[in-house]
């Protein structure tokens, strides 16, 4: 299940730092804790799979100033949230609707609406575009020490690890292996990003446009909870293109678009 969260800024323009994923992660955990403290405790356990991801924060219009670590946003701000676990969606989005006033990186917003997005019928062969970069790592020996190494799309291990990671997620979600387990990737465009995960800690990841052919079950898991690693930190979210180079946002009926009023707790979808 996937949702578009639209926010109205208190003032314009508003600043959005390039390294902002940890702020959105904090917002998610705070709202989950507000409505479901038991779930919040489980999600804080590092050994428990999280099964959700989210996109970078976007604005209807952006302006960049050379050399500055942020952009100026105009109009509404928005981001996407996706999960394979209804309990997580209910807790996070219910918390947003109960307390729609949001402060992120010092900027104040009000959650205007939460819209459920229809899931694509098929994934194999479709163009996929990252809404947040994909991170893939491995362990390698370097000067006698084992170090974590950030893989890149020119290395076959990058795709091998993505598939292995998707298999692990699928098994954890459904308790079995998928019927089809093969995937082939074709990258159409790749752009590296270095993103701050938390103060002083950075992750190299990749914005990609790609096609993957093969297991619909594995691709659906990637769509719902993210490709690669660190999904609950905001990495690996993709959207499915419409075949014309533009991202398909899915369709939502008017009944699935929720205006937010303080104190409400129901969610659509």
């Amino acid at each position: 299940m996937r949702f578009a969260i639209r926010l109205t800024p208190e003032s314009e323009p508003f600043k959005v730092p390039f390294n902002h994923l940890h702020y959105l992660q904090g917002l998610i955990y705070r709202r989950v804790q507000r409505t479901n403290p038991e779930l919040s405790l489980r999600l804080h356990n590092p050994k428990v799979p999280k099964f959700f991801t989210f996109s970078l924060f976007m604005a209807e219009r952006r302006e960049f100033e050379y050399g500055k670590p942020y952009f100026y946003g105009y109009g509404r701000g928005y981001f996407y949230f996706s999960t394979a676990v209804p309990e997580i969606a209910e807790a996070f989005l219910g918390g947003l609707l109960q307390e729609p006033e949001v402060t992120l990186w010092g900027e104040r917003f009000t959650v205007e609406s939460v819209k459920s997005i229809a899931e694509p019928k098929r994934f194999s062969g479709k163009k996929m575009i990252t809404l947040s970069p994909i991170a893939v790592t491995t362990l390698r020996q370097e000067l006698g020490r084992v170090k974590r190494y950030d893989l890149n799309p020119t290395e076959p291990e990058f795709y091998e690890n993505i598939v292995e990671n998707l298999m692990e997620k699928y098994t954890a979600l459904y308790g079995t292996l998928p019927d089809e387990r093969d995937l082939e990737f074709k990258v159409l465009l790749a752009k590296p990003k270095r993103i701050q995960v938390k103060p002083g800690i950075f992750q190299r990841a990749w914005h990609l446009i790609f096609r993957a052919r093969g297991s619909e079950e594995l691709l659906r898991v990637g769509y719902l909870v993210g490709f690669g690693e660190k999904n609950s930190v905001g990495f690996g979210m993709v959207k499915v293109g419409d075949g014309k180079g533009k991202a398909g946002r899915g369709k939502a009926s008017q009944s699935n678009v929720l205006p937010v009023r303080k104190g409400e707790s129901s969610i659509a979808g």
Side-chain angles (χ1 to χ4, degrees):
M1 54 190 67
R2 176 167 292 200
F3 301 88
I5 298 154
R6 186 165 57 182
L7 306 96
T8 303
E10 184 177 69
S11 59
E12 291 187 61
F14 52 90
K15 291 182 180 179
V16 180
F18 296 141
N19 290 304
H20 63 257
L21 287 176
H22 58 289
Y23 292 101
L24 293 176
Q25 182 194 32
L27 172 66
I28 292 167
Y29 277 97
R30 288 193 301 274
R31 293 301 193 267
V32 169
Q33 198 281 330
R34 175 187 176 93
T35 57
N36 192 333
E38 181 182 346
L39 173 62
S40 177
L41 285 174
R42 296 203 307 268
L43 293 178
H44 276 90
N45 185 338
K47 297 182 180 180
V48 173
K50 308 302 187 289
F51 298 130
F52 71 84
T53 191
F54 54 94
S55 74
L56 292 165
F57 191 92
M58 293 164 264
E60 291 178 337
R61 185 167 67 87
R62 298 184 299 171
E63 287 185 357
F64 298 88
E65 188 173 340
Y66 181 77
K68 299 296 184 181
Y70 53 80
F71 66 83
Y72 291 105
Y74 296 84
R76 297 177 181 88
Y78 61 98
F79 68 99
Y80 299 93
F81 176 83
S82 184
T83 181
V85 181
E87 183 184 21
I88 295 176
E90 182 73 33
F92 170 51
L93 300 174
L96 278 182
L97 294 172
Q98 288 181 18
E99 188 181 348
E101 291 81 13
V102 170
T103 300
L104 295 166
W105 52 84
E107 297 281 357
R108 296 176 61 85
F109 301 89
T110 300
V111 178
E112 178 181 302
S113 66
V114 175
K115 180 176 70 174
S116 63
I117 298 177
E119 185 177 307
K121 294 181 179 179
R122 291 187 59 83
F123 298 95
S124 180
K126 297 290 186 180
K127 182 183 293 183
M128 297 189 181
I129 305 165
T130 52
L131 291 168
S132 61
I134 296 174
V136 185
T137 65
T138 190
L139 297 177
R140 290 185 178 177
Q141 287 277 351
E142 185 176 316
L143 299 176
R145 299 176 61 185
V146 177
K147 298 186 68 175
R148 187 167 295 277
Y149 174 80
D150 297 327
L151 293 165
N152 70 74
T154 67
E155 300 170 287
E157 194 176 356
F158 181 88
Y159 308 100
E160 294 167 4
N161 284 16
I162 286 179
V163 175
E164 182 179 346
N165 179 272
L166 289 173
M167 293 271 285
E168 292 173 355
K169 292 170 183 170
Y170 186 94
T171 302
L173 278 167
Y174 304 113
T176 185
L177 290 172
D179 294 332
E180 186 179 358
R181 307 171 192 177
D182 294 329
L183 285 177
E184 294 183 358
F185 292 84
K186 181 179 181 182
V187 173
L188 307 176
L189 183 67
K191 183 178 181 180
K193 287 288 183 180
R194 184 172 179 266
I195 292 186
Q196 184 173 263
V197 177
K198 58 179 68 174
I201 299 178
F202 290 83
Q203 172 68 51
R204 184 169 292 279
W206 293 83
H207 271 305
L208 300 177
I209 300 176
F210 66 97
R211 296 183 191 274
R213 299 183 184 275
S215 173
E216 288 284 348
E217 294 167 296
L218 290 180
L219 290 173
R220 181 174 182 268
V221 167
Y223 176 82
L224 287 176
V225 302
F227 287 84
E229 304 167 25
K230 296 181 171 63
N231 306 131
S232 64
V233 185
F235 288 88
M237 190 177 197
V238 305
K239 60 186 176 183
V240 177
D242 61 5
K244 300 178 182 179
K246 296 182 179 179
R249 297 183 180 179
K251 295 182 180 179
S253 67
Q254 187 62 33
S255 62
N256 281 342
V257 181
L258 296 186
V260 178
R261 298 179 180 87
K262 192 171 183 178
E264 292 184 343
S265 60
S266 62
I267 63 172

